[in-house]
Amino acid sequence: MLTIGCHLSSSKGFLHMGKEAVSIGATTFQFFTRNPRGGRAKELDHEDIRAYEEYAIAHGFPVILAHAPYTLNACAREGRTREFAWETMADDLKRMEALPGQMYNFHPGSHVGQGMEAAVELIAACLNQAMTKNQTTTILLETMAGKGSEVGSRFEELRAVIDRVRWPEHMGVCLDTCHVYDAGYDIVNRLDEVLEEFDRILGLERLRAIHLNDSKNPFASHKDRHEKIGEGSLGAETFVRIINHPKLRKLPFFLETPNELPGYAGEIAFLRGAYRE
Ligand code: FE
Ligand code: FE
Ligand code: ZN
């Protein structure tokens, strides 16, 4: 069974997202932990969470993926921005434990002139103050396109962060297809080689989720503009190969394409049809 879903709005709660996912043929989904531009999170609704958990079991949802606000920059230069990021991550991870055993994805950040090494230290320090030994949430570092001074467009940079984390057993990686292609990993023509490189540097067992996005820009453009599946520079065939790849096919896949629900439903139907059971 292909585990696939898309990014959904969390404004109406978990049960609502679960039902929305089912309505478009999904068995998982991604959501922002709070307003993507940052700010305070809504109070947790424990009744909604219990109802969602029952619904998820009944509908065979294996795992869902939380996404930190994209403004979160754990390695920001300015004190207040960095402080916000560290507080947000600690608060998010604490809240995640209300729905145990899920995944939490974040963008490593931008070093804004401080250099990669300083950034890696700050990101690891942020994780170390936010994570706890017994947490049930797996934290995912997302592979980035390398726009501006973004950290995480090379597998080595993600590895350097994980190497500095106190409990690396709680760490994984989310591979974003648009981002890695924009970053210069040729998953269109050399998917096997890219996965070998990932395995050598990070270990494939760290790969826990895939963001499925086509790209509006050409290979190695370092841009990060998502496109609908099959309408960008990666092309539909690439996605058919990715979801069926023996090393990837069991992973949960998340669409972050520029779509409303009907568009997502169409992409999910296409990919389910292309999945070899
Ligand atoms: Fe992301
Ligand atoms: Fe992504
Ligand atoms: Zn992106």
mmCIF file of all heavy atoms in Angstrom, residues 122-150:
data_model
loop_
_atom_site.group_PDB
_atom_site.id
_atom_site.type_symbol
_atom_site.label_atom_id
_atom_site.label_comp_id
_atom_site.label_asym_id
_atom_site.label_seq_id
_atom_site.Cartn_x
_atom_site.Cartn_y
_atom_site.Cartn_z
ATOM 1 N N LEU A 122 24.662 25.982 16.017
ATOM 2 C CA LEU A 122 23.445 26.598 16.558
ATOM 3 C C LEU A 122 22.226 25.702 16.368
ATOM 4 O O LEU A 122 21.379 25.592 17.266
ATOM 5 C CB LEU A 122 23.207 27.962 15.899
ATOM 6 C CG LEU A 122 24.145 29.083 16.340
ATOM 7 C CD1 LEU A 122 23.980 30.305 15.432
ATOM 8 C CD2 LEU A 122 23.876 29.468 17.795
ATOM 9 N N ILE A 123 22.123 25.066 15.222
ATOM 10 C CA ILE A 123 20.973 24.179 14.962
ATOM 11 C C ILE A 123 21.010 23.000 15.934
ATOM 12 O O ILE A 123 19.991 22.636 16.531
ATOM 13 C CB ILE A 123 20.980 23.692 13.492
ATOM 14 C CG1 ILE A 123 20.821 24.876 12.538
ATOM 15 C CG2 ILE A 123 19.880 22.667 13.264
ATOM 16 C CD1 ILE A 123 21.284 24.611 11.115
ATOM 17 N N ALA A 124 22.192 22.437 16.127
ATOM 18 C CA ALA A 124 22.312 21.308 17.067
ATOM 19 C C ALA A 124 22.006 21.764 18.490
ATOM 20 O O ALA A 124 21.337 21.049 19.248
ATOM 21 C CB ALA A 124 23.713 20.703 16.974
ATOM 22 N N ALA A 125 22.461 22.967 18.839
ATOM 23 C CA ALA A 125 22.184 23.483 20.183
ATOM 24 C C ALA A 125 20.688 23.701 20.375
ATOM 25 O O ALA A 125 20.139 23.424 21.451
ATOM 26 C CB ALA A 125 22.957 24.782 20.412
ATOM 27 N N CYS A 126 20.023 24.193 19.347
ATOM 28 C CA CYS A 126 18.572 24.363 19.404
ATOM 29 C C CYS A 126 17.897 23.016 19.647
ATOM 30 O O CYS A 126 17.031 22.873 20.525
ATOM 31 C CB CYS A 126 18.073 24.986 18.099
ATOM 32 S SG CYS A 126 16.278 24.997 17.956
ATOM 33 N N LEU A 127 18.291 22.022 18.879
ATOM 34 C CA LEU A 127 17.704 20.676 19.050
ATOM 35 C C LEU A 127 17.979 20.148 20.448
ATOM 36 O O LEU A 127 17.086 19.597 21.104
ATOM 37 C CB LEU A 127 18.297 19.728 17.997
ATOM 38 C CG LEU A 127 17.724 19.890 16.595
ATOM 39 C CD1 LEU A 127 18.645 19.271 15.549
ATOM 40 C CD2 LEU A 127 16.326 19.270 16.510
ATOM 41 N N ASN A 128 19.186 20.343 20.921
ATOM 42 C CA ASN A 128 19.557 19.785 22.226
ATOM 43 C C ASN A 128 18.799 20.417 23.381
ATOM 44 O O ASN A 128 18.520 19.758 24.375
ATOM 45 C CB ASN A 128 21.075 19.900 22.442
ATOM 46 C CG ASN A 128 21.835 18.877 21.605
ATOM 47 O OD1 ASN A 128 21.294 17.808 21.285
ATOM 48 N ND2 ASN A 128 23.064 19.197 21.246
ATOM 49 N N GLN A 129 18.413 21.696 23.245
ATOM 50 C CA GLN A 129 17.637 22.305 24.324
ATOM 51 C C GLN A 129 16.141 21.988 24.179
ATOM 52 O O GLN A 129 15.385 22.131 25.123
ATOM 53 C CB GLN A 129 17.868 23.824 24.389
ATOM 54 C CG GLN A 129 17.508 24.597 23.120
ATOM 55 C CD GLN A 129 16.072 25.113 23.086
ATOM 56 O OE1 GLN A 129 15.549 25.571 24.103
ATOM 57 N NE2 GLN A 129 15.430 25.039 21.930
ATOM 58 N N ALA A 130 15.728 21.539 22.988
ATOM 59 C CA ALA A 130 14.300 21.300 22.756
ATOM 60 C C ALA A 130 13.919 19.830 22.928
ATOM 61 O O ALA A 130 12.805 19.525 23.338
ATOM 62 C CB ALA A 130 13.931 21.753 21.346
ATOM 63 N N MET A 131 14.815 18.926 22.607
ATOM 64 C CA MET A 131 14.443 17.505 22.618
ATOM 65 C C MET A 131 14.604 16.906 23.995
ATOM 66 O O MET A 131 15.274 17.470 24.864
ATOM 67 C CB MET A 131 15.249 16.725 21.559
ATOM 68 C CG MET A 131 16.688 16.445 21.905
ATOM 69 S SD MET A 131 17.711 15.946 20.461
ATOM 70 C CE MET A 131 16.722 14.731 19.635
ATOM 71 N N THR A 132 13.929 15.788 24.220
ATOM 72 C CA THR A 132 14.053 15.082 25.495
ATOM 73 C C THR A 132 14.372 13.626 25.213
ATOM 74 O O THR A 132 14.024 13.096 24.153
ATOM 75 C CB THR A 132 12.745 15.181 26.310
ATOM 76 O OG1 THR A 132 11.658 14.765 25.473
ATOM 77 C CG2 THR A 132 12.510 16.600 26.799
ATOM 78 N N LYS A 133 15.021 13.009 26.179
ATOM 79 C CA LYS A 133 15.496 11.641 26.010
ATOM 80 C C LYS A 133 14.359 10.686 25.641
ATOM 81 O O LYS A 133 14.513 9.839 24.772
ATOM 82 C CB LYS A 133 16.157 11.188 27.314
ATOM 83 C CG LYS A 133 16.809 9.824 27.256
ATOM 84 C CD LYS A 133 17.593 9.574 28.545
ATOM 85 C CE LYS A 133 18.469 8.335 28.429
ATOM 86 N NZ LYS A 133 17.695 7.091 28.362
ATOM 87 N N ASN A 134 13.226 10.849 26.297
ATOM 88 C CA ASN A 134 12.142 9.873 26.128
ATOM 89 C C ASN A 134 11.037 10.323 25.189
ATOM 90 O O ASN A 134 9.955 9.743 25.198
ATOM 91 C CB ASN A 134 11.558 9.506 27.487
ATOM 92 C CG ASN A 134 12.589 8.805 28.359
ATOM 93 O OD1 ASN A 134 13.351 7.969 27.868
ATOM 94 N ND2 ASN A 134 12.658 9.168 29.620
ATOM 95 N N GLN A 135 11.270 11.342 24.397
ATOM 96 C CA GLN A 135 10.235 11.785 23.468
ATOM 97 C C GLN A 135 9.899 10.660 22.490
ATOM 98 O O GLN A 135 10.748 9.821 22.176
ATOM 99 C CB GLN A 135 10.683 13.034 22.722
ATOM 100 C CG GLN A 135 11.796 12.797 21.714
ATOM 101 C CD GLN A 135 12.193 14.093 21.011
ATOM 102 O OE1 GLN A 135 12.487 15.094 21.635
ATOM 103 N NE2 GLN A 135 12.178 14.057 19.684
ATOM 104 N N THR A 136 8.646 10.651 22.014
ATOM 105 C CA THR A 136 8.225 9.613 21.065
ATOM 106 C C THR A 136 8.204 10.154 19.638
ATOM 107 O O THR A 136 7.945 9.421 18.691
ATOM 108 C CB THR A 136 6.812 9.095 21.404
ATOM 109 O OG1 THR A 136 5.883 10.175 21.245
ATOM 110 C CG2 THR A 136 6.754 8.575 22.835
ATOM 111 N N THR A 137 8.437 11.461 19.490
ATOM 112 C CA THR A 137 8.411 12.108 18.185
ATOM 113 C C THR A 137 9.769 11.969 17.503
ATOM 114 O O THR A 137 10.798 12.168 18.145
ATOM 115 C CB THR A 137 8.085 13.603 18.356
ATOM 116 O OG1 THR A 137 6.868 13.726 19.074
ATOM 117 C CG2 THR A 137 7.992 14.314 17.023
ATOM 118 N N THR A 138 9.744 11.656 16.220
ATOM 119 C CA THR A 138 10.977 11.673 15.427
ATOM 120 C C THR A 138 11.098 13.036 14.751
ATOM 121 O O THR A 138 10.151 13.501 14.112
ATOM 122 C CB THR A 138 10.959 10.560 14.365
ATOM 123 O OG1 THR A 138 10.807 9.308 15.033
ATOM 124 C CG2 THR A 138 12.249 10.544 13.565
ATOM 125 N N ILE A 139 12.243 13.672 14.933
ATOM 126 C CA ILE A 139 12.485 15.004 14.363
ATOM 127 C C ILE A 139 13.181 14.841 13.015
ATOM 128 O O ILE A 139 14.208 14.165 12.919
ATOM 129 C CB ILE A 139 13.370 15.845 15.289
ATOM 130 C CG1 ILE A 139 12.772 15.917 16.698
ATOM 131 C CG2 ILE A 139 13.598 17.239 14.707
ATOM 132 C CD1 ILE A 139 13.717 16.525 17.735
ATOM 133 N N LEU A 140 12.620 15.466 11.992
ATOM 134 C CA LEU A 140 13.200 15.348 10.654
ATOM 135 C C LEU A 140 13.830 16.666 10.208
ATOM 136 O O LEU A 140 13.210 17.727 10.300
ATOM 137 C CB LEU A 140 12.133 14.943 9.631
ATOM 138 C CG LEU A 140 11.295 13.702 9.940
ATOM 139 C CD1 LEU A 140 10.389 13.383 8.750
ATOM 140 C CD2 LEU A 140 12.160 12.502 10.275
ATOM 141 N N LEU A 141 15.053 16.577 9.729
ATOM 142 C CA LEU A 141 15.704 17.695 9.055
ATOM 143 C C LEU A 141 15.310 17.615 7.586
ATOM 144 O O LEU A 141 15.436 16.555 6.976
ATOM 145 C CB LEU A 141 17.220 17.554 9.156
ATOM 146 C CG LEU A 141 17.865 17.756 10.529
ATOM 147 C CD1 LEU A 141 19.241 17.090 10.542
ATOM 148 C CD2 LEU A 141 17.992 19.236 10.848
ATOM 149 N N GLU A 142 14.846 18.733 7.021
ATOM 150 C CA GLU A 142 14.453 18.706 5.606
ATOM 151 C C GLU A 142 15.629 19.084 4.716
ATOM 152 O O GLU A 142 16.373 20.019 5.020
ATOM 153 C CB GLU A 142 13.270 19.663 5.373
ATOM 154 C CG GLU A 142 12.790 19.641 3.923
ATOM 155 C CD GLU A 142 11.429 20.305 3.706
ATOM 156 O OE1 GLU A 142 10.761 20.646 4.702
ATOM 157 O OE2 GLU A 142 11.049 20.481 2.544
ATOM 158 N N THR A 143 15.782 18.352 3.613
ATOM 159 C CA THR A 143 16.797 18.710 2.616
ATOM 160 C C THR A 143 16.359 19.995 1.918
ATOM 161 O O THR A 143 15.204 20.128 1.531
ATOM 162 C CB THR A 143 16.945 17.604 1.559
ATOM 163 O OG1 THR A 143 15.688 17.444 0.894
ATOM 164 C CG2 THR A 143 17.364 16.276 2.167
ATOM 165 N N MET A 144 17.254 20.947 1.761
ATOM 166 C CA MET A 144 16.895 22.269 1.243
ATOM 167 C C MET A 144 17.499 22.524 -0.144
ATOM 168 O O MET A 144 18.409 21.837 -0.575
ATOM 169 C CB MET A 144 17.324 23.357 2.228
ATOM 170 C CG MET A 144 16.693 23.215 3.616
ATOM 171 S SD MET A 144 14.879 23.016 3.617
ATOM 172 C CE MET A 144 14.362 24.618 3.043
ATOM 173 N N ALA A 145 16.976 23.553 -0.808
ATOM 174 C CA ALA A 145 17.401 23.857 -2.184
ATOM 175 C C ALA A 145 18.724 24.630 -2.233
ATOM 176 O O ALA A 145 19.368 24.691 -3.275
ATOM 177 C CB ALA A 145 16.310 24.660 -2.892
ATOM 178 N N GLY A 146 19.100 25.250 -1.121
ATOM 179 C CA GLY A 146 20.327 26.034 -1.118
ATOM 180 C C GLY A 146 20.125 27.456 -1.599
ATOM 181 O O GLY A 146 21.019 28.095 -2.162
ATOM 182 N N LYS A 147 18.914 27.956 -1.340
ATOM 183 C CA LYS A 147 18.587 29.353 -1.674
ATOM 184 C C LYS A 147 19.291 30.256 -0.659
ATOM 185 O O LYS A 147 19.260 29.992 0.540
ATOM 186 C CB LYS A 147 17.065 29.499 -1.544
ATOM 187 C CG LYS A 147 16.436 30.697 -2.146
ATOM 188 C CD LYS A 147 14.912 30.574 -2.068
ATOM 189 C CE LYS A 147 14.447 30.260 -0.661
ATOM 190 N NZ LYS A 147 13.012 30.117 -0.499
ATOM 191 N N GLY A 148 19.919 31.318 -1.121
ATOM 192 C CA GLY A 148 20.601 32.225 -0.194
ATOM 193 C C GLY A 148 21.622 31.481 0.652
ATOM 194 O O GLY A 148 22.480 30.785 0.120
ATOM 195 N N SER A 149 21.535 31.620 1.968
ATOM 196 C CA SER A 149 22.522 30.974 2.845
ATOM 197 C C SER A 149 21.915 29.773 3.574
ATOM 198 O O SER A 149 22.322 29.433 4.681
ATOM 199 C CB SER A 149 23.068 31.992 3.849
ATOM 200 O OG SER A 149 22.027 32.431 4.719
ATOM 201 N N GLU A 150 20.949 29.125 2.920
ATOM 202 C CA GLU A 150 20.268 27.977 3.524
ATOM 203 C C GLU A 150 21.228 26.846 3.902
ATOM 204 O O GLU A 150 22.083 26.452 3.108
ATOM 205 C CB GLU A 150 19.256 27.407 2.517
ATOM 206 C CG GLU A 150 17.825 27.693 2.859
ATOM 207 C CD GLU A 150 16.871 27.295 1.743
ATOM 208 O OE1 GLU A 150 17.263 26.566 0.799
ATOM 209 O OE2 GLU A 150 15.723 27.750 1.809
#
